Amino acid sequence: MTIFEKGNYQSVSAEFRSLGMCALEELSNFQNKFKIYDTDTTINTIRDAIIANYLGFDLLNTDKHGFDAKKRNESKFLEVKQCSISSHSWDGTWNDTNEEKALAFSDKRLFTVVGVWKGANDLQFMVYGQYHKLGHDLYK
């Protein structure tokens, strides 16, 4: 099957567009309040904050580089990966990982969590922990 044969194209109702615009307006108001103007970054930051809070990581990284969260007064870091419960695989995307970051996943200071979400805001479950070979596997 070629790329031109893939997909399920359907018409979009006026209700979908109208309600979607209302939802995006609310999100825009949130972005303006917290000065986070990239939509993907906004949603990921909100989700990172929710997951980090559950796991006791109280400092959120607001830069593009580094790990997602840190424990105050401790040298413990958290990398958050997100996925949807409706996806066919529940694994995180590692496309932002360079060689230095890949090797850090074998360090005892770094914890990883995959948050599985239903919709935008309903956290279903998390898979959290450390695996000492992860850094080596990512480095490859």
Side-chain angles (χ1 to χ4, degrees):
M1 181 182 295
T2 72
I3 190 70
F4 293 102
E5 298 168 303
K6 294 179 181 178
N8 181 11
Y9 300 95
Q10 299 180 14
S11 61
V12 177
S13 71
E15 179 185 33
F16 179 90
R17 289 189 301 273
S18 177
L19 291 175
M21 288 297 295
C22 288
L24 291 176
E25 185 175 342
E26 286 299 314
L27 182 60
S28 250
N29 292 337
F30 180 90
Q31 288 175 296
N32 288 331
K33 179 174 180 142
F34 293 100
K35 297 178 176 47
I36 309 171
Y37 301 108
D38 178 81
T39 302
D40 289 341
T41 300
T42 302
I43 293 170
N44 284 335
T45 301
I46 294 167
R47 287 175 160 187
D48 289 353
I50 292 166
I51 288 173
N53 182 65
Y54 272 122
L55 298 173
F57 288 82
D58 52 343
L59 301 175
L60 203 62
N61 184 1
T62 59
D63 280 346
K64 285 273 189 190
H65 303 289
F67 301 109
D68 295 310
K70 182 182 184 299
K71 285 193 176 192
R72 185 182 315 269
N73 301 324
E74 291 185 55
S75 192
K76 291 184 180 177
F77 298 84
L78 181 67
E79 179 69 9
V80 181
K81 300 298 179 185
Q82 321 265 357
C83 63
S84 170
I85 193 133
S86 63
S87 67
H88 296 288
S89 68
W90 294 341
D91 53 1
T93 303
W94 301 89
N95 60 353
D96 64 337
T97 302
N98 58 31
E99 290 179 354
E100 178 187 24
K101 192 172 182 181
L103 291 174
F105 282 96
S106 292
D107 191 300
K108 291 182 184 218
R109 295 173 289 179
L110 181 59
F111 294 80
T112 305
V113 61
V114 177
V116 181
W117 297 83
K118 179 181 178 186
N121 69 336
D122 189 3
L123 181 60
Q124 298 292 291
F125 63 90
M126 299 177 283
V127 179
Y128 168 73
Q130 294 178 309
Y131 178 60
H132 68 282
K133 291 185 180 180
L134 179 58
H136 178 73
D137 292 345
L138 288 173
Y139 185 78
K140 281 183 178 179

